[in-house]
Amino acid sequence: MDNYLKILFSSLVLSTTQGMLFAFLPIYAYEISGKFASAGYIFSLPSIILVIMTFGWGSISDRLGKRKSVIIATNIIASLMYFLFAQATIVWLIVLRCIQTFFYSSYILVPAIITEYFPSSKGRALGKYNVATGLGWTIGAIISGHAAHVGFGFFFAVTGCLSVLFCISFFFVKDLPREKDTRKFKEFLIFGESKRILLLCLYAFVLMTGGSMLSSLFNVYLSNLGVSKEFIGYVTSLTSLTFLLVADAVGKACDNWGRKPLLLITPLLYMGMWLGIGLLENLYVKILLWVLPFYALFITASTSAVSDLTSNKERGRGIGILNSSIGFGNFAGGIVGGNLADFFGPKNTFLTASLFAVMGFFISLKMEETKEMTIEA
């Protein structure tokens, strides 16, 4: 099997686990605690670990000149922790999820490997990667409702087994040789086009803060309206299916049109989505808005842009710090969203999220196109 196909298959398997968790981990946290805030915490507190460790694993892999071995070793540990979730209280569930995220977060090295394989067509390569992850999320979301209906012990066991399968399949991926970055620590922290990377990270943080205010609560909101677990799983599968359908086209658009047009339009699209979910009363229209695949534009364009702004030996840190910013946004949005929903209700929380889309749009106006840049290794 072609090495790139091995990466895509492994990513599909790993994304299946995330599709399952995205649909039901907040619901499980809400069921065992009775609070929206717990659904926010199970989403947000692990995200603060992502803030640190996505950059941390990127830096470690740049130092070692290795990515594959870091991914496998850390995800073996993360896989085993799923088998403890069903026995945990809400406090221990959050603690275990945070520890697991510490190890799982090395997954951000996968797109770093892909951009090294395809330096001149990053957008297309990442587009196909997003197709694989979207398919995995779709599969995970479809089976999640049925697995949760059997029981959450069974649900977490299935998730753990799939995570182990990812580690096994990724073992057969060939890691490219790369130069170690052995500069002194202070020099090591300065990489790429730093000012432009920081602006991109600010954009990602703001936009994902708004996004996680919804994503940490929407399935809980549906559950409280009496929507069945199976139907919630199908709704989540639609979010990943629409992502899957557009991912390859978005990758091509990113290479053909550049990164900035996609980064510019994404917050405007999110603003319309979040306002609609908050203002409209029809549940099916809310769901229709929820499944629109605007995240594909954001993640493809932002990952391509940060790859443009870093050399091969800096790529792990570049993608790592971008994902740290995304994680910080998820942390902030989950905390704010969960507590706002407890005090003011989910609908008002959804409306508040649109303010972050407005801020993201104004930040995007300050960005410059990165597509034509080439940072030498």
Side-chain angles (χ1 to χ4, degrees):
M1 183 186 293
D2 177 79
N3 202 54
Y4 183 48
L5 292 179
K6 293 176 186 176
I7 295 175
L8 296 182
F9 173 76
S10 300
S11 300
L12 183 152
V13 173
L14 184 63
S15 295
T16 301
T17 68
Q18 299 312 297
M20 295 179 68
L21 292 174
F22 182 81
F24 281 99
L25 191 57
I27 292 176
Y28 181 63
Y30 180 82
E31 285 188 0
I32 64 176
S33 68
K35 294 183 178 180
F36 279 111
S38 296
Y41 294 149
I42 198 67
F43 191 89
S44 63
L45 292 179
S47 296
I48 201 66
I49 306 298
L50 281 174
V51 171
I52 301 168
M53 289 314 301
T54 48
F55 180 71
W57 293 125
S59 300
I60 290 169
S61 72
D62 283 346
R63 278 284 190 188
L64 297 175
K66 299 180 184 295
R67 309 215 194 281
K68 170 186 164 181
S69 55
V70 173
I71 293 169
I72 294 174
T74 53
N75 274 275
I76 287 173
I77 299 171
S79 300
L80 299 177
M81 302 194 72
Y82 284 115
F83 299 96
L84 303 175
F85 280 12
Q87 287 75 43
T89 63
I90 184 60
V91 173
W92 277 107
L93 178 67
I94 293 171
V95 170
L96 287 170
R97 180 60 175 162
C98 287
I99 296 171
Q100 182 189 58
T101 303
F102 176 90
F103 294 103
Y104 161 76
S105 54
S106 67
Y107 80 92
I108 59 97
L109 298 175
V110 176
I113 293 173
I114 290 173
T115 60
E116 291 165 354
Y117 268 100
F118 302 96
S120 62
S121 55
K122 301 182 186 80
R124 286 178 174 83
L126 289 170
K128 288 182 171 60
Y129 166 73
N130 287 335
V131 168
T133 58
L135 182 58
W137 273 69
T138 303
I139 295 169
I142 289 172
I143 66 176
S144 64
H146 298 282
H149 185 77
V150 174
F152 276 104
F154 177 74
F155 175 91
F156 290 124
V158 171
T159 310
C161 290
L162 287 170
S163 188
V164 171
L165 177 60
F166 161 75
C167 297
I168 295 171
S169 61
F170 206 79
F171 176 79
F172 296 99
V173 170
K174 180 182 178 182
D175 202 4
L176 287 174
R178 63 184 60 83
E179 182 184 353
K180 297 180 182 179
D181 196 330
T182 56
R183 289 178 293 172
K184 293 181 180 179
F185 184 71
K186 287 184 178 179
E187 296 174 340
F188 185 76
L189 293 178
I190 301 172
F191 55 90
E193 296 286 328
S194 56
K195 290 183 179 179
R196 297 174 70 179
I197 291 172
L198 287 175
L199 185 62
L200 179 65
C201 289
L202 176 62
Y203 168 86
F205 164 71
V206 168
L207 207 57
M208 290 302 100
T209 297
S212 64
M213 289 173 68
L214 275 82
S215 56
S216 62
L217 298 174
F218 191 73
N219 286 342
V220 179
Y221 173 68
L222 293 181
S223 181
N224 281 353
L225 292 177
V227 178
S228 70
K229 287 183 170 66
E230 290 85 353
F231 190 79
I232 291 172
Y234 296 146
V235 169
T236 304
S237 74
L238 284 176
T239 65
S240 50
L241 180 61
T242 55
F243 180 97
L244 165 67
L245 292 174
V246 304
D248 190 47
V250 169
K252 292 177 181 177
C254 188
D255 280 341
N256 292 334
W257 301 342
R259 322 318 186 195
K260 182 169 180 177
L262 273 63
L263 295 172
L264 195 66
I265 195 173
T266 298
L268 296 177
L269 295 172
Y270 269 133
M271 181 169 58
M273 173 199 281
W274 299 340
L275 284 172
I277 291 173
L279 291 172
L280 299 175
E281 294 298 327
N282 188 291
L283 179 61
Y284 293 102
V285 176
K286 290 177 185 284
I287 291 173
L288 179 62
L289 289 170
W290 177 244
V291 303
L292 293 174
F294 301 147
Y295 185 74
L297 281 71
F298 162 76
I299 196 63
T300 302
S302 60
T303 304
S304 296
V306 80
S307 298
D308 294 336
L309 296 170
T310 52
S311 67
N312 282 350
K313 67 180 181 181
E314 299 169 332
R315 191 70 38 78
R317 279 164 288 166
I319 292 180
I321 198 169
L322 172 66
N323 280 272
S324 290
S325 303
I326 293 171
F328 194 32
N330 288 336
F331 165 75
I335 292 287
V336 172
N339 284 284
L340 279 178
D342 276 333
F343 284 101
F344 302 108
K347 288 185 179 180
N348 290 325
T349 303
F350 300 157
L351 291 173
T352 304
S354 63
L355 297 176
F356 290 90
V358 174
M359 288 188 282
F361 173 71
F362 283 110
I363 294 171
S364 70
L365 293 175
K366 298 289 186 180
M367 294 181 184
E368 299 176 6
E369 181 57 64
T370 65
K371 180 177 179 291
E372 301 303 326
M373 293 195 62
T374 301
I375 306 294
E376 298 297 334

